[in-house]
Amino acid sequence: MSTTQSERLRELLEPLVTSQGLDLEEIAVDSVGRKRVLRVVVDSDTGADLDQIADVSRALSAKLDESDAMGAGEYTLEVGTPGAERLLKEHRHYVRAVDRLVKFQLTDGGELVARILKVDDDGLDLEVPGVKGRKATARRLALSDVDKARVQVEFNRKDKNEEEA
């Protein structure tokens, strides 16, 4: 049996989120002054649009209203998707980050910034950008060698179609 409020909320809400075709990525209950905020982060392989977020938000709100999972006090429900610089934790997160630039903190203490090209059960095929005009290089990285990984925001990356033209 679960012991923390977050675990109880996950057990209550995850089936509902899954039934909406989304993955429940994160649940957090925070106190902001005297108010409590329940933050629910959802995602899917194809992303989640505003209509899906609104639908799941209404469904979660109704489910929470009929349960006592949040207790008697007032709270605000916030439902959203992971941010642009999301932390990659699960295998599915790496799959969703294919073709994105990622900053890796390695278990040996090193750091690497590379683009994910392919993900399989054992690891990642990466493209490490060249420095000072050098060509990019390929690298294989085992998932077990990754301590942390975070997607990087790219403002001036050329679209594949532009590169091929």
Side-chain angles (χ1 to χ4, degrees):
M1 184 166 176
S2 62
T3 55
T4 69
Q5 183 180 28
S6 290
E7 289 171 336
R8 289 190 303 271
L9 286 166
R10 180 171 285 280
E11 285 178 6
L12 178 70
L13 303 179
E14 193 161 30
L16 191 54
V17 171
T18 302
S19 74
Q20 301 278 326
L22 300 170
D23 295 317
L24 179 58
E25 297 294 350
E26 189 178 322
I27 291 179
V29 180
D30 299 314
S31 294
V32 181
R34 294 183 180 191
K35 296 182 180 181
R36 292 180 305 150
V37 178
L38 171 58
R39 291 185 175 88
V40 178
V41 178
V42 298
D43 202 7
S44 76
D45 289 344
T46 57
D49 63 30
L50 289 176
D51 290 334
Q52 287 176 299
I53 298 295
D55 290 344
V56 79
S57 182
R58 282 189 291 273
L60 293 178
S61 181
K63 185 72 165 180
L64 288 164
D65 287 349
E66 69 185 36
S67 77
D68 65 347
M70 287 298 292
E74 284 188 28
Y75 67 93
T76 301
L77 172 64
E78 294 180 359
V79 180
T81 58
E85 293 184 354
R86 74 173 302 161
L87 193 60
L88 306 177
K89 297 178 183 176
E90 306 284 333
H91 186 269
R92 70 177 179 265
H93 299 163
Y94 290 96
V95 172
R96 291 173 185 163
V98 166
D99 203 36
R100 301 288 306 272
L101 195 65
V102 175
K103 183 176 185 179
F104 297 93
Q105 300 289 329
L106 306 177
T107 56
D108 67 5
E111 193 173 277
L112 173 68
V113 176
R115 186 168 313 284
I116 298 176
L117 300 177
K118 183 181 170 194
V119 179
D120 59 38
D121 291 341
D122 300 319
L124 312 166
D125 289 338
L126 306 174
E127 178 184 73
V128 181
V131 180
K132 295 184 181 177
R134 292 190 176 137
K135 289 193 174 228
T137 57
R139 178 168 176 182
R140 177 78 178 164
L141 183 63
L143 288 171
S144 60
D145 291 338
V146 177
D147 185 39
K148 280 186 180 176
R150 184 177 300 277
V151 171
Q152 301 297 289
V153 174
E154 295 180 86
F155 291 107
N156 57 358
R157 180 169 182 224
K158 290 184 178 180
D159 191 350
K160 280 184 178 181
N161 296 333
E162 290 178 37
E163 291 174 2
E164 293 170 1

